[in-house]
């Protein structure tokens, strides 16, 4: 620590955020200054934007901020788009050795910045290694979004993934937690499922989610569904176990049907049931294809993990008024 005050880095993944970046940067700067003035964090604390292969002017804007105000801003540019989870991981692992704590949040600032104060207090006062930002309600969401979000968390929990209900990627992690996080080497990342595995001392801070500053969400329904599937298949093998259980259930059911058919045959009640046969064939065929697809998904993940490909590649890192390429 610098002067017994922790060095905080705010890690902000960005993808095509030119509409809101300057506003976000100014608001975060004000928050950082208020924490410094309250002597909760070191004057060496910074805001680190992570450019995830944006196709607009996001990186050039981050670069300008980092060079014009190097005491406040720093920037990381990934070589190409890697997805939000990999961009977040890249930011955390890149800065973990030059800070004491990190707080990750989205560039749209829907996560309440004022909750950062309580997070830092729990680190300074209670020695928490991880502090989760958790939404206290979903009153501002539409019924569909609220229903699907709650279904997501309940499904993940049912599938065996230990995740925090109503928590996304707004959290504080100290260097000890980050060092352990760095040991998780899987390519198929689901950060909010991995962090609870770390253990250590943790707590929650509750907040109300804000409206997006501008632009559109970078997580439409299709991406949310992809994230959910990524989380389930990365953290749990329960879908495969469900296939096994379903196979056993169908086998038992088929024995029952066989007995029923034999009894009907000897009683002279046999009826040629073309419809039932066709329905059974289509059902079993579809179930087989679905089961093979799930198993194939896991085989594909094993294939990708076996290659040991890097999860991200940093093309530029601007920090402390130096440009490293």
């Amino acid at each position: 620590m610098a002067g017994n005050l922790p060095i905080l880095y705010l890690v902000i993944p960005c993808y095509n955020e030119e509409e809101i970046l300057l506003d976000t940067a100014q608001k975060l700067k004000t928050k950082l200054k208020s924490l410094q003035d309250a002597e909760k964090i070191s004057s060496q604390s910074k805001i680190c934007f992570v450019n995830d292969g944006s196709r607009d002017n996001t990186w050039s804007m981050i670069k300008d901020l980092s060079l014009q105000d190097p005491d406040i801003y720093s920037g990381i540019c990934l070589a190409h788009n890697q997805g939000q989870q990999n961009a977040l991981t890249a930011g955390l692992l890149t800065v973990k050795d030059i800070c004491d704590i990190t707080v990750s949040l989205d560039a749209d600032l829907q996560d309440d910045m004022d909750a950062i104060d309580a997070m830092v207090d729990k680190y300074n006062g209670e020695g928490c290694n991880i502090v989760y930002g958790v939404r206290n309600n979903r009153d501002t969401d539409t019924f569909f979004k609220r229903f699907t979000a709650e279904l997501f968390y309940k499904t993940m929990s049912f599938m065996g993934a230990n995740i925090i209900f109503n928590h996304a990627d707004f959290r504080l992690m100290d260097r000890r937690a980050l060092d352990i996080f760095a040991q998780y080497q899987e390519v198929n990342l689901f950060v909010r499922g991995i962090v609870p595995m770390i253990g250590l001392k943790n707590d929650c801070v509750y907040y109300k989610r804000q409206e997006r500053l501008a632009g559109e969400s970078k997580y439409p329904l299709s991406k949310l569904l992809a994230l959910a599937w990524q989380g389930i298949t990365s953290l749990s093998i329960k879908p495969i176990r469900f296939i096994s259980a379903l196979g056993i259930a169908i086998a038992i059911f088929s024995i029952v049907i066989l007995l029923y058919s034999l009894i009907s045959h000897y009683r002279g009640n046999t009826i040629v049931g073309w419809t039932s046969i066709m329905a059974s064939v289509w059902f079993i065929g579809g179930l087989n294809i679905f089961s093979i697809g799930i198993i194939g998904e896991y085989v594909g993940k094993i294939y990708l993990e076996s290659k040991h490909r890097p999860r991200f590649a940093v093309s530029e890192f601007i920090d402390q008024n130096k440009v490293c390429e």
Side-chain angles (χ1 to χ4, degrees):
M1 290 187 184
N4 294 324
L5 293 177
I7 299 175
L8 166 67
Y9 267 60
L10 301 178
V11 178
I12 323 293
C14 300
Y15 178 69
N16 294 343
E17 301 289 3
E18 65 177 4
E19 290 184 71
I20 64 172
L21 187 63
L22 294 180
D23 192 16
T24 295
Q26 185 57 49
K27 284 182 168 64
L28 290 175
K29 179 179 179 179
T30 301
K31 171 53 63 179
L32 201 68
K33 288 292 188 182
S34 70
L35 289 167
Q36 292 171 345
D37 292 341
E39 297 186 345
K40 292 184 178 183
I41 60 173
S42 167
S43 59
Q44 298 179 40
S45 300
K46 292 187 179 183
I47 302 162
C48 182
F49 292 106
V50 184
N51 177 47
D52 184 24
S54 298
R55 292 173 293 179
D56 58 8
N57 295 317
T58 297
W59 174 239
S60 62
M61 294 169 69
I62 293 173
K63 198 169 185 177
D64 289 341
L65 288 169
S66 302
L67 296 176
Q68 292 169 10
D69 199 348
D71 293 332
I72 295 295
Y73 302 110
S74 66
I76 298 170
C77 185
L78 302 186
H80 54 275
N81 180 258
Q82 296 277 39
Q84 192 265 355
Q85 296 290 283
N86 283 297
L88 173 59
T89 301
L92 294 174
L93 298 187
T94 300
V95 305
K96 75 180 182 68
D97 294 325
I98 55 176
C99 66
D100 299 299
I101 53 177
T102 62
V103 171
S104 56
L105 67 163
D106 294 335
D108 56 21
L109 294 187
Q110 288 187 277
D111 301 318
D112 186 6
M113 291 185 300
D114 292 333
I116 298 174
D117 298 64
M119 290 179 173
V120 174
D121 287 341
K122 286 187 177 293
Y123 169 79
N124 285 331
E126 302 176 24
C128 290
N129 305 103
I130 302 170
V131 182
Y132 300 100
V134 180
R135 294 183 64 173
N136 55 14
N137 62 67
R138 289 185 171 271
D139 294 342
T140 57
D141 290 350
T142 62
F143 171 80
F144 178 77
K145 188 172 183 180
R146 184 165 58 249
F147 173 77
T148 53
E150 291 181 357
L151 179 63
F152 165 76
Y153 286 106
K154 290 178 180 178
T155 301
M156 291 295 294
S157 179
F158 179 72
M159 289 293 181
N162 180 25
I163 61 174
I164 308 298
F165 187 74
N166 274 343
H167 164 71
D169 288 307
F170 183 30
R171 73 180 70 85
L172 177 147
M173 297 177 70
D174 71 357
R175 188 179 297 181
R176 185 180 177 194
L178 289 170
D179 284 338
I180 298 175
F181 175 64
Q183 297 175 31
Y184 288 81
Q185 296 295 316
E186 54 255 52
V187 174
N188 299 285
L189 278 173
F190 186 64
V191 178
R192 71 185 73 172
I194 293 175
V195 174
M197 295 180 185
I198 295 174
L200 301 179
K201 185 173 182 179
N202 61 83
D203 204 343
C204 296
V205 167
Y206 297 89
Y207 69 97
K208 183 176 181 180
R209 193 162 172 83
Q210 310 297 316
E211 294 293 330
R212 183 177 171 85
L213 291 176
E216 297 181 354
S217 171
K218 302 304 184 294
Y219 260 92
L221 180 60
S222 59
K223 285 192 175 182
L224 288 174
L225 291 174
L227 180 65
W229 183 245
Q230 171 84 331
I232 291 170
T233 55
S234 297
L235 299 173
S236 173
I237 61 169
K238 275 195 173 182
I240 292 180
R241 290 176 178 170
F242 286 152
I243 291 174
S244 300
L246 187 59
I248 293 172
I250 291 176
I252 294 172
F253 181 73
S254 66
I255 293 173
V256 173
I257 294 299
L258 176 62
L259 292 173
Y260 173 77
S261 300
L262 289 173
I263 293 172
S264 297
H265 173 73
Y266 287 112
R267 293 180 63 182
N269 297 327
T270 303
I271 300 174
V272 178
W274 182 86
T275 303
S276 61
I277 292 175
M278 290 300 295
S280 299
V281 169
W282 279 100
F283 174 73
I284 297 299
L287 185 61
N288 283 335
I289 295 173
F290 176 68
S291 301
I292 292 170
I294 292 180
I295 295 171
E297 181 74 19
Y298 280 95
V299 172
K301 287 184 180 294
I302 294 171
Y303 171 71
L304 292 175
E305 294 289 346
S306 68
K307 289 177 174 291
H308 301 292
R309 290 174 175 171
R311 293 174 291 183
F312 55 85
V314 176
S315 62
E316 292 184 66
F317 176 35
I318 306 173
D319 192 83
Q320 296 177 346
N321 208 24
K322 294 181 181 179
V323 179
C324 306
E325 299 187 6

